[in-house]
Amino acid sequence: MRLVWELFRVAWAVGCLPVGALLLVVVVFSGFNLPFFLGLASGEDLVIRWLFWVLVLYFVGGGWLFSRVNQSYAARLRRMVAGYQAEGFHPQVEVFAKINDAYIGVDLQSKRLLAYPVGQDAHLFRLDEIRSWRILPVGKSNHRLELLTSDLAIPTFSLALKTADVANTEARLYAIFST
């Protein structure tokens, strides 16, 4: 399901370019007539008003939908972590992905690292299984955290980081894995 939502997110983002251009054309050809678009004045074709609102709802509705999906992913991750905490996993360091679809938690007392998703579920690594880690810039404002493991079934784990979290995450992981 996660991949389907990612496909919809990409399709919506790519669709924003032609929809935005069409919205600009509609606004320009109507003469920037804001009272008309708000329904306070009449005189132009109602199809233009409906087209304007459909295009605006494409932007607003897509943004709202994907923020709700992001919130549901975050809630599901918190429930999953709470389940592991009930089993004795108490993370001192937690890293959530940019769109809350992936998670890393490090419990220093039990020397375990929880990674989600690995396949379709979460996976607990021992800290000595983590061979190396790195944060790579991907594009202009995106970063990816990669963990290389000694587990042959799961050689790597990665997640997208928020730009604001890069320095803090790097410092915390350096403090954990440098000892």
Side-chain angles (χ1 to χ4, degrees):
M1 187 66 185
R2 194 172 139 243
L3 293 174
V4 172
W5 279 113
E6 191 61 32
L7 178 67
F8 280 139
R9 186 185 319 264
V10 169
W12 175 75
V14 170
C16 282
L17 293 173
V19 168
L22 185 59
L23 182 61
L24 183 63
V25 167
V26 167
V27 170
V28 167
F29 283 140
S30 68
F32 299 99
N33 192 352
L34 187 61
F36 169 71
F37 292 124
L38 295 177
L40 303 174
S42 61
E44 295 184 31
D45 192 8
L46 288 178
V47 173
I48 293 174
R49 181 185 296 163
W50 283 104
L51 180 62
F52 171 80
W53 285 109
V54 165
L55 296 174
V56 167
L57 287 176
Y58 178 83
F59 284 111
V60 175
W64 175 81
L65 175 68
F66 292 121
S67 72
R68 295 291 298 167
V69 168
N70 194 23
Q71 289 172 357
S72 72
Y73 280 150
R76 187 177 67 197
L77 280 175
R78 291 193 196 323
R79 284 192 307 272
M80 183 216 38
V81 171
Y84 278 94
Q85 285 176 343
E87 296 173 4
F89 179 78
H90 301 289
Q92 286 79 29
V93 176
E94 292 183 306
V95 179
F96 287 91
K98 187 174 187 176
I99 55 174
N100 288 328
D101 63 344
Y103 169 83
I104 291 177
V106 180
D107 184 356
L108 296 173
Q109 294 170 345
S110 65
K111 298 189 184 292
R112 294 185 298 172
L113 182 138
L114 175 65
Y116 175 83
V118 176
Q120 296 295 322
D121 202 12
H123 186 78
L124 283 168
F125 293 98
R126 291 184 327 269
L127 285 184
D128 62 353
E129 287 182 308
I130 307 300
R131 293 289 175 225
S132 66
W133 62 274
R134 62 185 176 178
I135 296 178
L136 302 169
V138 181
K140 290 185 179 180
S141 63
N142 293 318
H143 293 81
R144 179 162 294 284
L145 168 63
E146 290 184 350
L147 297 171
L148 303 174
T149 71
S150 61
D151 188 347
L152 294 177
I154 308 162
T156 64
F157 177 78
S158 65
L159 59 86
L161 286 175
K162 299 173 190 167
T163 304
D165 294 343
V166 170
N168 189 20
T169 301
E170 187 172 20
R172 291 186 297 170
L173 290 177
Y174 183 76
I176 291 169
F177 292 112
S178 66
T179 57

